[in-house]
Amino acid sequence: SNKYPQVKHTCLQEVFELMQQVPNTVMYLVHRSGPTSFIVREDGHETKRKVTIGSRLSCTCSSSGLNGNKELCLHVLFTMLKILRVPASNPLVWQLSLTDRELDEVLQCSSLPQAPPPRTHGSHAHKGSKKLPPGEVERRPLEEGEESPCPICYEDMAAVDLDMLVYCRAGCGANVHGKCLGIWADHQTRSLGKELSCPLCRTAWGEFKWRPPPPKKRVHRREAGAEGSHGSNLHMGSKCGVCKMAPINGKRFRCFVCADFDLCEGCFGSGQHAQHPFACRATPTAFPVPADRPVLMPTATRMGVAAPAPHTAAHATSSITNTTGPSHPPPHGDGNSSSSS
């Protein structure tokens, strides 16, 4: 019984329903012992679960794992969709096993764009910025490339007040939810017996002093203008891989996985190349940030079966069956796989 689970050409109804719960479920990544091994904890629960991604996808909870051929659980789907950022329209999300090539594709999905290095003490600072103590780096502003999620709960930080966040002062300057770092610190110091370190750059954090501030009136942050005040939005040297617009005008979307593949805003919004995640540049000089699509974005029929159409529950139910295929998946790529009957 070393046989791998059969490839699933369509998503089972029970797994589809769990995928819909993931955006509304708060979970924390408290430890990552390797690229494919994760310790997660659900909000409000003390029990931690170990999720493993690879030739078999497993979790130590009772709903999933190597016992029999049980289906995926919420912990595995949280890991695939939020931590590893695999688009929900990619059929790899609902597989029970992955080949080496598929695993490589999954890990590439989470390779976020490199952020600019933070300014340190002694480096050229902007006019009016306060002087930093020796050995301390400047906090990364949320307006510049910090729209990536919190590295522990994977929820967005863009609309959160700064006093609810802490940042890595000695290393990368990245922001983290204060509450999340408290949970991370508890696991690092009490469960593992280690010193607290940054979840992103592993630099020693020092003493964790953050406490939740008293409630206050919510202040809406000023949104950055959609229209650039300087120059045009022409991305010189770029070309949309679908409609062939060249250069791309407006927002430019670049695939994380493919070597050189861009989409214009119209083609990205219509669901083209939905099996891979993208980074978006709003203007030619803007820092690229992860570009999310709706959970049920229509996808190219990469495995011969399309994902459920969005906002139509009846259609989604009829598209998700208990069908399983006989062998292993055909090669993945740009969605142009051929199906045989």
Side-chain angles (χ1 to χ4, degrees), residues 99-119:
T99 64
D100 288 345
R101 186 164 50 81
E102 290 167 341
L103 181 60
D104 186 54
E105 180 179 333
V106 164
L107 295 176
Q108 282 186 63
C109 288
S110 61
S111 57
L112 299 176
Q114 283 289 313
R119 286 186 292 273

Side-chain angles (χ1 to χ4, degrees), residues 311-335:
H311 312 306
T312 52
H315 176 72
T317 305
S318 64
S319 299
I320 299 168
T321 68
N322 293 320
T323 308
T324 59
S327 54
H328 226 62
H332 313 316
D334 57 10

Side-chain angles (χ1 to χ4, degrees), residues 87 89 242 254-259 261-263 267-268 270-278 293 297-300 333-336:
S89 50
V242 175
R254 167 149 288 213
C255 180
F256 278 168
V257 178
C258 300
F261 188 81
D262 291 323
L263 289 178
C267 291
F268 178 82
S270 68
Q272 300 293 334
H273 204 75
Q275 70 268 32
H276 289 160
F278 278 73
R293 280 171 156 150
M297 173 64 71
T299 180
D334 57 10
N336 295 325

